Amino acid sequence: MKLSDLTHRAGEWLRGVGPMHDVVISSRVRYARNLAGMPFLSRCTGEQLRELETRLRDTVLDSRLADEMLYVDVAAAGKLDRELVVERHLISRQHADGRHPRGVAISGSETMAVMVNEEDHLRIQVLRSGLQLSEAFEDLSRIDQLLEERVSFAFHDRYGYLTACPTNVGTGLRVSVMLHLPALKLTGQIEKAFRAAKELHLAIRGLYGEGTEATGDFFQVSNQTTLGKSEPQILEEFSTEMVPNFIDYERKARHALLNRQARALEDRVYRAHAALRSARLISSEETMYMLSLVRLGASLGLIKDIDVHTLNELFLQTQPAHLQRLLNREMDGQERSAARSDFIRRRLSQN
Amino acid sequence: MKLSDLTHRAGEWLRGVGPMHDVVISSRVRYARNLAGMPFLSRCTGEQLRELETRLRDTVLDSRLADEMLYVDVAAAGKLDRELVVERHLISRQHADGRHPRGVAISGSETMAVMVNEEDHLRIQVLRSGLQLSEAFEDLSRIDQLLEERVSFAFHDRYGYLTACPTNVGTGLRVSVMLHLPALKLTGQIEKAFRAAKELHLAIRGLYGEGTEATGDFFQVSNQTTLGKSEPQILEEFSTEMVPNFIDYERKARHALLNRQARALEDRVYRAHAALRSARLISSEETMYMLSLVRLGASLGLIKDIDVHTLNELFLQTQPAHLQRLLNREMDGQERSAARSDFIRRRLSQN
């Protein structure tokens, strides 16, 4: 398996299936883990960083975590390859931009990614399409156990798993979902929903994690508490209360639009669809917003000839690094805008 | 002939034919005339205004100026009918909004309109499609002579024809063309062209005359000097120097766009076309801009399935009063936006 194999497909978790996929793009769970007896990364010497990377790479690859595994040496990878895995949500922006020995192990289906030497020694992530947090969590536990058979993680009897940032101490578990909330945005209710989420100690971020703007009406919602609650509690609250509330708000807003502002909604959706099919220059940001509206239209039956899977693929394939890999040439922003519009028109006319 | 007969057609002068019709929408010439022995309108009593209107109406209708003639009693006409003739450039906004006895005589082809009691007792206008100023002027002279056989116009041996506003004194002749200058606008050269025009004592106005903003890249260019130059001089300078310069600048700008910024041009043109074919709500202002870009695209061969005649008709038929007359119901702005988008989609899918 090579990195270039990934470019042409959307990744299991973007298949546009799974429960509640009209609103929930994907579910993600991750553990932060550090080896016992080694300093946190910020305290490591260069030698220790190299040693950690080699040791953890071997451990991860030897643990048979998945049928097919690919290890990307992020420090040695070219800029475009690093961007590519960021765009696929397999590593963080910070991990891509680092300057020390680091890497990521990816399963063939991309439902699993283990970052080596990110903020913690290990960040183990499992992704699923739609709302499938418990299924994702089962897989995460299995992976964590397989790794613990080979290494010892830093653990404190009272505090739990020790992590570089205090917000992760305890379970080390972060649970998040990527939500598509275009109707809450269009109807101006999104701020209200966010305020409610913050009172419940949820963090809300953009499509590409911490510090990024929400793009194309996609929002990543995650828990902030990892200490003082058990894992089942965290998961239970998140997947049976918090996320369903968001889904419910968004669905109600969609139907209110359809019933009370059908004209305005149709206008937005059909214009977006037409813009994607007619543009000769288009930025990735505009693409996101247009795809977002078309996705909304498809979920409400206004647009019938495009499936969610194609749209999800386009979200990914129109990102800068993907586009360049798919078309097999490096391009500046202006060239990408032209190539992106051609690519989108071709894809949408195949439908 | 009834006023409602006009609604469904574009008017001879909007046929999209005639010399230079890629840039010149229409040519217009008009005379300002006042009856000898009667005060200017601002000095008239109510009785005199009524008398003038009756007398001039009869004179105009008796003079056999055209095969078919319609007289609209503007003072008695409803708001929608008044708007309709403004949108068709048959009367001025000021004439529509007046509160005194007044009217307009219109020939069947709409190439001639004689306003009674506008700023002057008579405003005689002749319109032609494309650049046909001398043809229009011949017709204007013919009409003027027919009228002078029946009435005496106020005339001063030294100053020429006397008019309510000193800027019209002399020949009373105003010569103008409606130009479509989207490429000069897109390339940012329009201000430069306007400065050059002002140095040549040309006035530049929007689509609906004095005090209106240029809409959809349409500009009305007219002479400002009526005193001290002969009619042949005015016409000659205007139609063989000034207008050809504009046409030349605009055509060069179009080809520069096509050669050097083809992508950006195609992007604007195709998106505009797509917006018109997909919108479910659209204002008349946006319609103008989108039609303007599509007209540019059609003139450059980028859009092949729409002719200029259809576009010219749409410019007119999507105006508020026309739309309401065509659909036979009064509508507020929001309802018009919806109805306009439906109307445009229907028309464009017929092509």
Side-chain angles (χ1 to χ4, degrees):
Chain A
M1 181 182 160
K2 302 191 306 292
L3 192 53
S4 58
D5 294 341
L6 301 183
T7 324
H8 294 271
R9 54 192 196 204
E12 165 67 20
W13 58 275
L14 264 178
R15 278 205 300 137
V17 294
M20 320 288 171
H21 69 262
D22 56 328
V23 179
V24 187
I25 307 289
S26 58
S27 303
R28 188 177 76 110
V29 290
R30 73 107 171 103
Y31 276 142
R33 294 285 185 261
N34 290 275
L35 293 191
M38 287 291 282
F40 289 136
L41 293 172
S42 58
R43 297 299 193 99
C44 280
T45 63
E47 181 56 40
Q48 286 173 315
L49 286 169
R50 274 191 297 280
E51 188 199 319
L52 269 172
E53 199 268 331
T54 314
R55 187 170 155 206
L56 289 170
R57 174 206 303 227
D58 293 343
T59 306
V60 169
L61 291 176
D62 291 348
S63 302
R64 301 182 176 281
L65 304 178
D67 286 344
E68 217 187 356
M69 288 284 284
L70 168 71
Y71 187 84
V72 180
D73 182 340
V74 176
K79 191 174 184 312
L80 216 50
D81 283 339
R82 294 200 308 271
E83 291 295 320
L84 196 81
V85 278
V86 171
E87 290 176 0
R88 299 183 82 78
H89 293 265
L90 297 169
I91 69 172
S92 61
R93 159 75 39 216
Q94 291 72 22
H95 200 50
D97 293 345
R99 297 177 153 271
H100 58 285
R102 66 204 189 282
V104 61
I106 303 164
S107 70
S109 60
E110 291 175 80
T111 53
M112 188 203 84
V114 183
M115 280 189 277
V116 173
N117 285 1
E118 205 246 17
E119 188 179 283
D120 296 292
H121 298 167
L122 287 178
R123 286 280 176 102
I124 312 160
Q125 144 178 310
V126 174
L127 280 166
R128 284 286 183 285
S129 201
L131 183 61
Q132 299 194 63
L133 283 166
S134 24
E135 293 81 350
F137 182 70
E138 274 173 37
D139 205 27
L140 181 67
S141 304
R142 180 186 64 80
I143 293 163
D144 189 45
Q145 275 171 24
L146 285 171
L147 291 171
E148 280 207 287
E149 287 171 13
R150 291 165 186 265
V151 289
S152 294
F153 292 136
F155 187 86
H156 184 279
D157 282 342
R158 180 146 171 223
Y159 300 126
Y161 286 99
L162 299 178
T163 55
C165 176
T167 60
N168 290 310
V169 168
T171 59
L173 177 67
R174 179 89 60 194
V175 178
S176 71
V177 285
M178 184 69 72
L179 301 178
H180 186 221
L181 306 175
L184 287 178
K185 190 80 175 291
L186 279 176
T187 55
Q189 297 175 78
I190 197 96
E191 293 303 330
K192 206 177 118 198
F194 284 1
R195 277 197 302 276
K198 270 168 196 162
E199 280 170 26
L200 297 169
H201 303 288
L202 297 175
I204 297 176
R205 289 165 188 158
L207 195 54
Y208 286 102
E210 208 153 350
T212 69
E213 284 282 308
T215 326
D217 309 325
F218 292 98
F219 303 92
Q220 189 178 302
V221 178
S222 61
N223 72 310
Q224 284 190 302
T225 317
T226 53
L227 185 67
K229 278 190 186 175
S230 71
E231 289 173 337
Q233 259 184 312
I234 292 171
L235 268 174
E236 172 80 9
E237 279 180 15
F238 198 76
S239 47
T240 64
E241 285 174 40
M242 296 163 180
V243 178
N245 275 340
F246 268 107
I247 297 172
D248 192 42
Y249 290 152
E250 171 65 20
R251 284 182 177 167
K252 279 190 180 134
R254 289 184 190 184
H255 286 99
L257 279 175
L258 203 54
N259 293 328
R260 278 175 249 146
Q261 293 171 265
R263 259 290 163 175
L265 178 67
E266 285 168 15
D267 186 58
R268 302 285 290 264
V269 166
Y270 293 135
R271 279 180 186 243
H273 190 196
L276 290 171
R277 293 172 83 123
S278 65
R280 296 300 191 271
L281 286 173
I282 194 164
S283 68
S284 59
E285 199 191 347
E286 188 190 353
T287 302
M288 283 288 202
Y289 277 105
M290 299 295 115
L291 285 172
S292 169
L293 285 165
V294 171
R295 196 180 191 278
L296 173 65
S299 91
L300 291 173
L302 296 178
I303 290 181
K304 295 193 170 58
D305 57 349
I306 309 180
D307 61 29
V308 175
H309 178 58
T310 303
L311 292 171
N312 285 356
E313 261 186 23
L314 275 173
F315 276 111
L316 202 57
Q317 294 175 338
T318 56
Q319 296 290 319
H322 273 79
L323 194 69
Q324 293 176 83
R325 274 282 178 261
L326 281 168
L327 300 175
N328 211 15
R329 63 178 195 274
E330 291 203 23
M331 293 176 279
D332 64 21
Q334 182 72 8
E335 291 166 334
R336 284 201 302 272
S337 285
R340 182 179 292 115
S341 72
D342 295 342
F343 183 82
I344 294 169
R345 287 204 316 288
R346 245 185 343 261
R347 281 300 309 272
L348 291 184
S349 67
Q350 282 164 11
N351 273 276
Chain B
M1 182 180 160
K2 302 190 307 293
L3 191 55
S4 58
D5 293 342
L6 301 183
T7 325
H8 294 271
R9 54 196 196 201
E12 167 67 20
W13 59 275
L14 264 178
R15 279 206 299 138
V17 294
M20 321 288 172
H21 70 261
D22 56 329
V23 180
V24 186
I25 307 287
S26 59
S27 303
R28 189 178 75 110
V29 291
R30 71 108 171 103
Y31 275 144
R33 295 288 185 259
N34 291 275
L35 293 191
M38 287 293 281
F40 289 136
L41 292 173
S42 59
R43 295 300 194 102
C44 280
T45 63
E47 181 55 39
Q48 286 172 315
L49 287 168
R50 273 190 298 280
E51 188 198 320
L52 270 172
E53 199 268 333
T54 313
R55 189 171 156 205
L56 290 169
R57 174 206 303 226
D58 292 344
T59 306
V60 169
L61 291 178
D62 291 347
S63 303
R64 299 181 180 281
L65 304 178
D67 287 342
E68 217 185 357
M69 288 284 282
L70 168 72
Y71 187 84
V72 181
D73 181 339
V74 177
K79 191 172 183 316
L80 216 50
D81 283 337
R82 295 200 308 270
E83 291 296 319
L84 196 82
V85 279
V86 171
E87 288 176 3
R88 297 183 83 79
H89 294 265
L90 297 169
I91 69 172
S92 61
R93 158 74 41 216
Q94 291 71 22
H95 200 50
D97 293 346
R99 297 176 153 271
H100 59 283
R102 66 204 189 281
V104 60
I106 304 163
S107 71
S109 62
E110 292 175 79
T111 55
M112 187 204 84
V114 184
M115 278 188 278
V116 173
N117 286 359
E118 205 247 16
E119 188 179 283
D120 296 292
H121 298 166
L122 288 179
R123 287 282 176 98
I124 312 161
Q125 144 176 310
V126 173
L127 281 165
R128 284 286 183 282
S129 201
L131 184 61
Q132 299 194 63
L133 283 166
S134 25
E135 294 81 352
F137 182 70
E138 275 173 36
D139 206 27
L140 182 66
S141 304
R142 181 185 65 78
I143 293 163
D144 190 43
Q145 275 170 25
L146 284 172
L147 291 171
E148 280 207 287
E149 287 171 13
R150 291 169 185 260
V151 289
S152 295
F153 290 137
F155 188 86
H156 183 280
D157 281 342
R158 180 144 174 227
Y159 299 126
Y161 287 97
L162 300 176
T163 55
C165 176
T167 58
N168 290 311
V169 168
T171 58
L173 178 67
R174 179 87 60 194
V175 178
S176 70
V177 285
M178 184 68 71
L179 301 177
H180 186 220
L181 307 175
L184 287 178
K185 188 81 176 290
L186 278 176
T187 55
Q189 298 175 77
I190 196 95
E191 293 301 332
K192 208 178 116 197
F194 284 180
R195 278 197 302 276
K198 271 168 196 164
E199 280 169 26
L200 296 168
H201 302 288
L202 297 176
I204 296 176
R205 290 166 187 157
L207 194 54
Y208 286 102
E210 207 153 351
T212 69
E213 284 283 309
T215 325
D217 310 324
F218 293 98
F219 302 92
Q220 190 178 301
V221 178
S222 60
N223 72 313
Q224 284 190 301
T225 317
T226 53
L227 186 66
K229 279 191 184 173
S230 71
E231 288 174 340
Q233 261 184 308
I234 293 172
L235 268 175
E236 173 77 9
E237 281 181 12
F238 199 75
S239 47
T240 64
E241 285 175 41
M242 297 164 179
V243 177
N245 275 341
F246 267 107
I247 297 172
D248 194 42
Y249 289 153
E250 170 65 18
R251 283 181 177 167
K252 280 192 179 131
R254 289 183 190 185
H255 286 98
L257 278 175
L258 203 54
N259 293 329
R260 278 176 250 144
Q261 292 172 264
R263 260 288 164 176
L265 178 68
E266 286 168 15
D267 186 59
R268 301 285 291 264
V269 167
Y270 293 135
R271 279 181 187 240
H273 190 196
L276 290 172
R277 293 171 82 122
S278 64
R280 295 301 191 271
L281 287 173
I282 195 164
S283 69
S284 59
E285 199 191 348
E286 188 189 352
T287 301
M288 283 288 202
Y289 277 106
M290 298 296 113
L291 285 172
S292 170
L293 285 164
V294 171
R295 195 179 191 279
L296 172 66
S299 91
L300 291 172
L302 296 178
I303 289 182
K304 295 192 170 60
D305 57 349
I306 309 182
D307 59 30
V308 175
H309 178 59
T310 303
L311 292 171
N312 285 356
E313 262 186 20
L314 275 175
F315 275 112
L316 202 56
Q317 294 176 338
T318 56
Q319 296 292 317
H322 273 79
L323 194 70
Q324 293 176 80
R325 274 281 179 263
L326 282 167
L327 300 175
N328 210 15
R329 61 177 196 274
E330 292 203 22
M331 292 177 280
D332 64 23
Q334 181 72 8
E335 290 166 333
R336 285 201 302 274
S337 285
R340 181 179 292 113
S341 73
D342 295 342
F343 183 81
I344 295 168
R345 287 204 317 287
R346 245 186 340 260
R347 281 299 309 272
L348 291 183
S349 68
Q350 280 164 12
N351 273 276

